Amino acid sequence: MKSGGFGEDLKRADRKRGFFQLIFAVLFNGYAAGFTKGKIFTGKTKAICVPVLNCHSCPGALGACPIGSLQKVLAGSSRVSFYALGFLMLFGVVLGRLVCGFLCPFGWIQDLLHRIPGKKAELPEKIDRPARKLKYAVLLLLVVLLPMAVRDEFGIGTTFFCAWLCPAGTLEAGLPLLAANPELRLMIGGQFYWKLALLIALLLWSVFTYRPFCRYLCPLGAFYGLFNRFSLYQYRFESEKCTGCGACARACQMKIDVTKNVNSAECIRCGRCIAACPEDAISRKKIFSRTETGKTGEER
Amino acid sequence: MDKKQNIIRIAIGAASAGLIAAGLLSGEHLQVLRNAIITCLSCIGIG
């Protein structure tokens, strides 16, 4: 049983995660000169997909967005993607949604906004549960099917998710590039205003509800969520230690019942349930552990 | 259960490594690079 205050443990876990999020946001967007010049980085590292939803048209981006790359390849003449899909599967099987909790800059921004004090709100459960499935529809329709199927007279498809939904693109690429390039500002039209309105709505919503984009719309989170059950990075719940105090459920901002499904596809691996549990019933599972329970499966 | 999971992990890991290798051999990484070094107007919301 833990000896320290649970509130302190939670704060420590949040601070530690915030530090990682800051480091990775800087690491993925380290080309600082791009922001002042209003030009994107053109080095060879851009052939490598980063694990997060980080627009490669962000002036600071050092790598390629996996969702953007997947769509572009599917929308191209080949209609088949090996490379981007391979990266996505590799990140998924190693990290699962740890990527969302610790590495994603857009997730971090939503986290920071949610820290603004005030009344918090959740969608009613009968709306929340089906709404969480929306991200799978976004992945299937906007990222895969529509870019493959809808083509112009030259046979080139549209990257529907990037063009009409991605708020990370508007925030990380659209706003900095438009601020630095007056000629781009002349091209602004209804599509930009739609994306800007969507970004503002999601950022405002983040103040009241924890990570609305990640919960309901993010196709990358949907993809990684499929791997949460199999990923090398996993959580373990020991029911024999659980007293049913509900501390984990109160600490979980993604509103998951950890005691029922510790490796839920919705879990972003923030670690708050581990920090909150007074009985250490939830822990990180050792990689390639041999047993479901017992000391060999423990890391803490 | 864990043994089964480890087999699944290894299979997915091997499949993803195979896909990345296929992407490298087919030159898809160059396509990804080309796409990523050109300012994406649709990402910005103007194209």
Side-chain angles (χ1 to χ4, degrees), chain A residues 57 81-82 192 195 229-230, chain B residues 2 5 9 28 40 43 45:
Chain A
S57 284
S81 171
F82 301 117
F192 175 76
K195 282 193 74 183
R229 275 182 61 202
F230 312 108
Chain B
D2 271 7
Q5 277 201 346
R9 285 172 194 155
E28 191 188 324
C40 167
C43 300

Side-chain angles (χ1 to χ4, degrees), chain A residues 8 18 31-32 40 50 52 74 100 110 118 133 155 192 201 203 212 222 227 239 252 259 265 278 288 297:
Chain A
E8 256 324 294
Y31 182 61
I40 67 169
V50 294
V52 294
L74 293 177
C100 310
Q110 290 174 87
K133 306 269 186 268
F192 175 76
L203 293 181
F227 290 85
S239 54
C252 181
T259 59
F288 290 118

Side-chain angles (χ1 to χ4, degrees), chain A residues 74-86:
Chain A
L74 293 177
S77 53
S78 59
R79 298 191 197 205
V80 185
S81 171
F82 301 117
Y83 189 70
L85 188 63

Side-chain angles (χ1 to χ4, degrees), chain A:
Chain A
M1 183 160 171
K2 283 175 187 168
S3 53
F6 305 138
E8 256 324 294
D9 285 339
L10 272 181
K11 278 183 192 164
R12 205 176 302 126
D14 284 344
R15 270 200 300 271
K16 187 174 142 194
R17 192 162 66 94
F19 174 73
F20 275 101
Q21 288 170 308
L22 170 66
I23 296 290
F24 280 102
V26 174
L27 200 72
F28 295 139
N29 298 289
Y31 182 61
F35 291 100
T36 52
K37 289 179 189 164
K39 288 199 162 57
I40 67 169
F41 178 70
T42 54
K44 285 190 174 160
T45 54
K46 280 224 165 154
I48 299 165
C49 293
V50 294
V52 294
L53 197 73
N54 193 84
C55 185
H56 45 229
S57 284
C58 169
L62 296 173
C65 170
I67 291 290
S69 300
L70 181 68
Q71 279 176 99
K72 290 254 183 194
V73 175
L74 293 177
S77 53
S78 59
R79 298 191 197 205
V80 185
S81 171
F82 301 117
Y83 189 70
L85 188 63
F87 269 104
L88 283 168
M89 283 171 60
L90 190 65
F91 293 134
V93 80
V94 175
L95 302 170
R97 286 196 80 177
L98 177 74
V99 170
C100 310
F102 275 76
L103 314 185
C104 183
F106 196 70
W108 179 48
I109 288 162
Q110 290 174 87
D111 278 1
L112 292 176
L113 287 169
H114 195 68
R115 284 190 198 168
I116 295 172
K119 204 176 172 192
K120 304 299 173 190
E122 291 292 332
L123 285 180
E125 205 181 321
K126 64 179 178 187
I127 298 172
D128 174 72
R129 292 196 97 182
R132 285 181 192 237
K133 306 269 186 268
L134 251 179
K135 57 182 175 288
Y136 298 101
V138 170
L139 174 65
L140 200 65
L141 279 176
L142 300 189
V143 177
V144 180
L145 294 179
L146 288 176
M148 283 170 83
V150 182
R151 298 192 168 245
D152 62 15
E153 64 268 35
F154 305 106
I156 303 297
T158 305
T159 52
F160 277 87
F161 173 72
C162 297
W164 295 101
L165 196 64
C166 183
T170 317
L171 182 70
E172 296 165 1
L175 295 177
L177 287 177
L178 288 170
N181 295 289
E183 67 276 17
L184 278 180
R185 287 204 289 275
L186 297 172
M187 297 162 74
I188 288 177
Q191 187 189 359
F192 175 76
Y193 290 119
W194 155 254
K195 282 193 74 183
L196 185 64
L198 196 68
L199 171 69
I200 293 168
L202 281 166
L203 293 181
L204 282 176
W205 193 4
S206 305
V207 177
F208 305 102
T209 304
Y210 187 69
R211 291 197 181 211
F213 178 71
C214 309
R215 276 197 212 188
Y216 305 118
L217 294 172
C218 183
L220 195 55
F223 188 85
Y224 289 148
L226 301 174
F227 290 85
N228 257 8
R229 275 182 61 202
F230 312 108
S231 58
L232 286 179
Y233 188 86
Q234 288 214 332
Y235 283 179
R236 189 163 65 111
F237 171 64
E238 290 167 88
S239 54
E240 63 273 19
K241 285 186 182 175
C242 180
T243 57
C245 68
C248 53
R250 285 193 298 278
C252 181
Q253 292 176 299
M254 292 298 278
K255 302 295 166 207
I256 300 160
D257 188 347
V258 185
T259 59
K260 283 188 185 147
N261 186 1
V262 75
N263 291 309
S264 158
E266 299 296 321
C267 176
I268 59 164
R269 308 303 196 199
C270 66
R272 285 174 66 92
C273 55
I274 295 174
C277 180
E279 307 296 333
D280 289 335
I282 309 159
S283 57
R284 292 175 188 89
K285 208 165 164 183
K286 223 177 192 175
I287 294 171
F288 290 118
S289 62
R290 284 197 190 144
T291 55
E292 185 84 329
T293 54
K295 283 179 184 170
T296 50
E298 281 191 7
E299 189 184 68
R300 301 178 76 226

